[in-house]
């Protein structure tokens, strides 16, 4: 034990050297590949293509909303609305306290001393630490009076003047003058402006639950739930349906695939199907179905069944019956034959042998596979829904395509993550209940 | 309290004087529960299918007749123009390579970040044991976000192309691999680490020399499996707007009749790529894990 014999020492040294060389070669190859990707993906051009303005809009819209105070310069009509949407327009009685509208003057307090005033002469914006920006229409043009030189956050042409400050945005054109105030949060999340419950505090709402009925036909709690469920801005009811549809697609697809794959797996397992060609045919069928991939199945099925959740469920069903067929037949080949022998010795037929000798052995493997796929398919169903037009995936893609309802996108994203995590813990719970691990 | 002192009520206790009776009773009750569960399951499936069908544009039975219509239309048109196919295959090969590159880059990136998450979330190994729950939750959340969510947002910011797809798939991959990596690192033997600690090795050296050699086969095999999954994901993401063969497929599909030979060429390329890489990675995984 004092010292190792010399030859083995050199052998070990040589082995170490070869290994180190191999590791180095792998590293070099990896670096070359990454370099190739760098060129092929055009990473240097990325900076030029990236639109960081979009990122800023998106992030601020995720957590904030803007209120438009607009005066039509032709009709002299002033409206206050959230995100400029017609269905989210305040009635004069509901105007937020930072807007003050009288017969011919509108005063908007943007906070931190920023005051915007519209009146018959034009409009002015008083910026603390800078001065007064005064705009008056003069013939066909806009006349701007402001401390010189103009800072870069004032953008002025003859027909349009816009001012952007940390407190908000202000734009004057010949047809209208607009002020945008940004506020944190998601506006109208619970109740829309036309709802009798809008703008009430939690305390007031709780008191209203037992108070006199607003609508004599139904209780206040029911009215409140219905106003929330049918919220015209956030469509909570439709969103809940979409989430349900997505989970339904995953459930139907996964369970259906398991039901289809189980009998077929017996035909592909060598210990149940002695006929080689049949076995081979079924194995290739599973490989084919898996290889064609969910995307292609989705396209083919969408042509036959039209858009909707059933198409998505069938796409998941077909793709996963290939996967399940493969794993189930592998599980079947690994069973213990002794139990089947025992059942056979009682004179049981093939179906009874399968039910009492085989199924109890493979049930835990099947269940854990199926439950794992149930969770993973909830995610796939979101993607497939975006293609076949069903479920939350569709709502999400639509919201992203409009490129302005980013608060909806954030809402859907949070719901999707919660949905997947809920399915994850549900399938884990079920697995523990049924299999005990 | 009464239960603990006197045992359950006499009536509820199984009558052990007659074991056969007791067994049959138990078996019957078990079978009844199984039957109820089965009925419940069938009812759930049936009503679920009914709801899904009601909300679908076309219904199941009438769609079933048309199931073959689209493939046969596509195939017959492609057969008429079969002379074009070799050229079309060649034309779409670069897109296929891009799809594969997206999957590979995402697997590499996600694997690297997944390893980082795994080392942070494995007990006994973490540099900062107090932070393991944080790393775990991070991996859970990253795993829960479907690729398409991140991809669509990144497409809005970065414009089309492969980079949004890579980042989106890598994000999800990091979470998924982080969990699997951490599970296999949890089972690693800690003796080499102790040996290294006794020589005064730093944390990095302990991990690199004591843990990585043990878990490398498992980690590589998981990463290969993920690569297979990511090829499919990258094809799908192409279809919703980032680059690769999925995007070609979308363009050809939108064109409709007249470009079905292209559709067939793209289907064929995608199918072959998926099958080839499944086989290759299955073979490699077998060798890695079983050492055969």
């Amino acid at each position: 034990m004092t010292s190792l014999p010399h030859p083995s020492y050199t052998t070990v040294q040589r082995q170490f050297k070869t290994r180190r060389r191999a590791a180095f070669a792998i590293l070099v190859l990896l670096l070359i590949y990454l370099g190739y990707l760098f060129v092929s993906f055009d990473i240097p051009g990325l900076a030029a293509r990236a639109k960081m303005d979009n990122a800023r809009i998106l992030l601020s819209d995720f957590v904030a909303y803007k209120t438009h105070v607009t005066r039509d310069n032709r009709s002299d009509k002033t409206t206050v609305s959230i995100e400029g949407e017609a269905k989210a327009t305040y009635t004069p009685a509901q105007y937020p306290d930072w807007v003050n509208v009288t017969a011919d003057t509108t005063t908007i307090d943007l906070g931190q001393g920023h005051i915007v005033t519209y009146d018959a002469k034009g409009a002015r914006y008083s910026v603390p630490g800078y001065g007064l920006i005064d705009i008056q229409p003069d013939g066909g043009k806009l006349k701007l009076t402001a401390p010189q030189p103009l800072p870069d956050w004032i953008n002025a042409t003859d027909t349009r003047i816009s001012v952007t400050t940390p407190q908000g945005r202000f734009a004057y054109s010949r047809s209208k003058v607009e002020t945008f105030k940004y506020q944190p949060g998601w506006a109208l999340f619970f109740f829309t402006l036309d709802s009798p419950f809008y703008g009430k505090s939690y305390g007031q709402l709780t008191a209203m639950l037992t108070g006199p009925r607003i609508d004599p036909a139904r209780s206040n709690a029911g009215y409140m739930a219905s106003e929330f469920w049918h919220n015209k801005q956030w469509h909570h009811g439709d969103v809940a349906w979409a989430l349900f549809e997505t989970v339904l697609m995953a459930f139907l697809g996964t369970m259906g695939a398991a039901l289809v794959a189980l009998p077929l797996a017996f035909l592909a397992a060598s210990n149940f199907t002695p006929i080689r060609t049949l076995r081979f045919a079924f194995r290739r069928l599973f490989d084919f179905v898996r290889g064609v991939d969910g995307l292609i199945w989705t396209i083919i099925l969408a042509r036959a069944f039209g858009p909707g959740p059933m198409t998505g469920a069938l796409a998941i069903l077909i793709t996963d019956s290939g996967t399940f067929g493969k794993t189930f037949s592998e599980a079947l080949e690994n069973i213990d034959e002794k139990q089947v022998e025992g059942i056979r010795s009682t004179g049981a037929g093939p179906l009874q042998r399968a039910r009492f000798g085989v199924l109890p052995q493979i049930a835990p493997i099947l269940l854990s596979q199926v439950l794992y796929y149930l969770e993973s398919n909830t995610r796939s169903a979101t993607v497939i829904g975006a293609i076949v037009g069903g479920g939350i995936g569709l709502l999400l893609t639509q919201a992203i395509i409009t490129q302005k309802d980013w608060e909806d996108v954030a809402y859907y994203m949070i719901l999707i993550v919660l949905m997947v995590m809920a399915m994850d813990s549900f399938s884990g719970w079920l697995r523990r209940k049924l299999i005990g691990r | 309290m009464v239960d603990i002192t006197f045992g359950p009520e006499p009536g509820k206790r199984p009558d052990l004087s007659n074991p056969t009776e007791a067994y049959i009773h138990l078996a019957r009750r078990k079978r009844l529960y199984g039957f109820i569960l089965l009925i419940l399951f069938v009812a759930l499936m049936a009503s679920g299918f009914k709801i899904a069908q009601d909300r679908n544009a076309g219904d199941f039975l009438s769609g079933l007749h048309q199931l073959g219509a689209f493939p046969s239309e596509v195939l017959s048109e492609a057969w008429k123009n079969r002379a074009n196919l070799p050229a079309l295959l060649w034309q779409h090969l670069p897109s296929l390579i891009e799809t594969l590159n997206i999957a590979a880059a995402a697997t590499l990136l996600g694997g690297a970040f997944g390893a980082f998450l795994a080392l942070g979330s494995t007990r006994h190994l973490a540099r900062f044991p107090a932070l393991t729950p944080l790393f775990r939750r991070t991996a859970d959340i990253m795993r829960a976000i479907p690729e398409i969510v991140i991809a669509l947002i990144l497409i809005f910011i970065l414009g089309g192309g492969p980079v949004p797809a890579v980042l989106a798939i890598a994000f999800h991959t990091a979470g998924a691999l982080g969990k699997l990596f951490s599970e296999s690192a949890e089972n690693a033997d800690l003796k080499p680490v102790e040996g290294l600690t006794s020589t005064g090795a730093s944390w990095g050296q302990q991990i690199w020399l004591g843990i990585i050699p043990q878990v490398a086969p498992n980690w590589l095999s998981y990463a290969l499996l993920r690569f297979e999954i990511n090829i499919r994901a990258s094809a799908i993401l192409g279809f919703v707007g980032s680059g690769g063969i999925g995007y070609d497929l979308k363009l050809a599909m939108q064109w409709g009749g007249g470009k079905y030979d292209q559709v067939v060429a793209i289907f064929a390329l995608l199918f072959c790529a998926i099958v080839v890489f499944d086989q290759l990675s299955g073979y490699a995984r077998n060798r890695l894990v079983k050492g055969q």
Side-chain angles (χ1 to χ4, degrees), chain A residues 33 36 51 245 290 305 307-308, chain B residues 55-58 101 157 232:
Chain A
Y33 182 63
Y36 154 71
K51 284 171 258 167
E245 254 179 34
R290 254 160 19 97
F305 298 113
Chain B
R55 293 177 76 87
N56 216 64
N101 277 336
I157 298 174
R232 293 156 188 260

Side-chain angles (χ1 to χ4, degrees), chain A residues 161-227:
Chain A
I161 293 161
S162 66
V163 180
T164 312
T165 67
Q167 293 303 308
R169 244 165 67 210
F170 168 81
Y172 202 120
S173 67
R174 273 185 304 186
S175 62
K176 63 184 177 183
V177 46
E178 275 186 308
T179 306
F180 307 124
K181 182 180 166 88
Y182 292 86
Q183 281 161 297
W186 289 348
L188 313 180
F189 185 75
F190 292 103
F191 303 110
T192 40
L193 291 171
D194 55 0
S195 161
F197 304 107
Y198 171 75
K200 302 278 191 290
S201 70
Y202 290 112
Q204 281 171 311
L205 287 174
T206 328
M208 282 168 97
L209 278 178
T210 51
R213 288 192 172 188
I214 298 173
D215 178 4
R218 51 188 163 173
S219 75
N220 277 353
Y223 194 15
M224 218 181 267
S226 141
E227 284 290 293

Side-chain angles (χ1 to χ4, degrees), chain A residues 86 208 230 271 311 359 361 381 412:
Chain A
M208 282 168 97
H230 300 291
N271 45 350
T311 311
L359 267 190
Q361 288 194 53
Y412 300 151

Side-chain angles (χ1 to χ4, degrees), chain A residues 310-381:
Chain A
M310 187 186 69
T311 311
L314 288 176
I316 294 176
L317 192 153
I318 293 183
T319 319
D320 279 359
S321 49
T323 318
F324 283 153
K326 183 167 181 271
T327 50
F328 288 2
S329 68
E330 278 164 8
L332 282 172
E333 284 179 352
N334 289 330
I335 59 159
D336 187 359
E337 288 291 335
K338 290 201 197 85
Q339 294 188 31
V340 188
E341 283 292 298
I343 304 279
R344 193 200 300 268
S345 72
T346 65
L351 265 182
Q352 285 167 317
R353 286 205 299 273
R355 163 68 186 84
F356 294 103
V358 181
L359 267 190
Q361 288 194 53
I362 58 165
I365 307 174
L366 298 192
L367 272 175
S368 71
Q369 272 281 331
V370 168
L371 289 176
Y372 168 71
Y373 269 88
L374 183 64
E375 182 258 334
S376 140
N377 278 339
T378 315
R379 244 177 296 110
S380 312

Side-chain angles (χ1 to χ4, degrees), chain B:
Chain B
M1 282 305 276
V2 179
D3 258 25
I4 297 168
T5 338
F6 299 104
E9 282 174 58
K12 284 184 185 167
R13 211 179 291 168
D15 180 13
L16 290 181
S17 61
N18 188 352
T20 324
E21 184 86 350
Y23 174 74
I24 289 178
H25 188 70
L26 191 72
R28 207 171 278 155
R29 176 184 288 187
K30 247 184 147 177
R31 208 171 293 164
L32 181 70
Y33 285 161
F35 187 68
I36 292 175
L37 267 181
L38 192 71
I39 296 282
L40 203 70
F41 178 73
V42 169
L44 260 179
M45 287 287 288
S47 59
F49 186 79
K50 172 109 186 24
I51 296 172
Q53 182 171 267
D54 287 348
R55 293 177 76 87
N56 216 64
D59 72 318
F60 184 71
L61 286 177
S62 61
L64 218 49
H65 296 297
Q66 300 158 19
L67 194 54
F70 175 62
S72 66
E73 185 188 341
V74 169
L75 285 176
S76 67
E77 194 191 304
W79 182 248
K80 240 187 302 168
N81 304 329
R82 59 188 176 276
N84 294 344
L85 277 183
L88 284 173
L89 287 176
W90 184 249
Q91 182 196 329
H92 289 289
L93 193 62
S95 314
L96 178 69
I97 293 176
E98 183 168 64
T99 293
L100 294 175
N101 277 336
I102 289 172
T107 314
L108 284 174
L109 210 66
F113 197 69
F116 167 75
L117 283 176
L119 290 176
S121 63
T122 311
R123 275 169 288 147
H124 317 303
L125 297 182
R127 187 86 178 83
F128 307 104
L131 294 182
T132 46
L134 179 75
F135 277 96
R136 277 197 194 171
R137 287 294 91 72
T138 312
D140 281 350
I141 291 176
M142 290 175 86
R143 210 154 42 90
I145 301 182
E147 289 105 350
I148 192 170
V149 174
I150 300 177
L152 286 173
I153 288 179
L154 285 179
I155 289 170
F156 176 62
I157 298 174
L158 299 177
V163 178
V166 170
L167 291 177
I169 300 175
F171 193 83
H172 176 72
T173 301
L177 283 182
K179 182 170 183 251
L180 293 171
F181 283 1
S182 147
E183 273 167 13
S184 70
E186 208 125 87
N187 294 324
D189 189 2
L190 287 178
K191 289 202 191 91
V193 177
E194 270 171 41
L196 285 162
T197 319
S198 73
T199 65
S202 69
W203 179 79
Q205 286 169 326
Q206 286 169 28
I207 296 295
W208 183 246
L209 299 169
I211 296 294
I212 298 292
Q214 289 188 60
V215 296
N218 259 323
W219 283 21
L220 268 179
S221 132
Y222 282 138
L224 279 174
L225 187 67
R226 201 68 225 178
F227 177 56
E228 285 175 43
I229 299 172
N230 285 349
I231 294 176
R232 293 156 188 260
S234 124
I236 288 193
L237 285 189
F239 201 81
V240 294
S242 55
I245 194 124
Y247 191 62
D248 287 9
L249 181 59
K250 186 189 182 168
L251 292 183
M253 288 289 300
Q254 276 175 345
W255 192 274
K259 278 208 173 176
Y260 283 151
D261 44 350
Q262 266 196 40
V263 172
V264 167
I266 295 168
F267 274 13
L269 277 176
L270 188 57
F271 177 72
C272 292
I274 287 175
V275 170
V276 165
F277 278 93
D278 271 17
Q279 297 293 333
L280 277 181
S281 109
Y283 172 75
R285 277 186 290 130
N286 255 331
R287 281 199 53 164
L288 277 171
V289 175
K290 294 185 185 152
Q292 288 161 356

Side-chain angles (χ1 to χ4, degrees), chain A residues 240-280:
Chain A
W241 252 110
L243 283 174
F244 171 73
E245 254 179 34
T246 304
V247 173
L248 185 70
M249 278 195 258
F251 172 77
L252 285 179
T254 316
M255 297 302 166
L259 290 180
V260 169
L262 188 59
L264 296 182
F266 279 90
L267 294 172
S270 57
N271 45 350
F272 290 93
T273 305
I275 310 160
R276 243 188 113 106
T277 36
L278 189 67
R279 220 161 63 212
F280 185 80

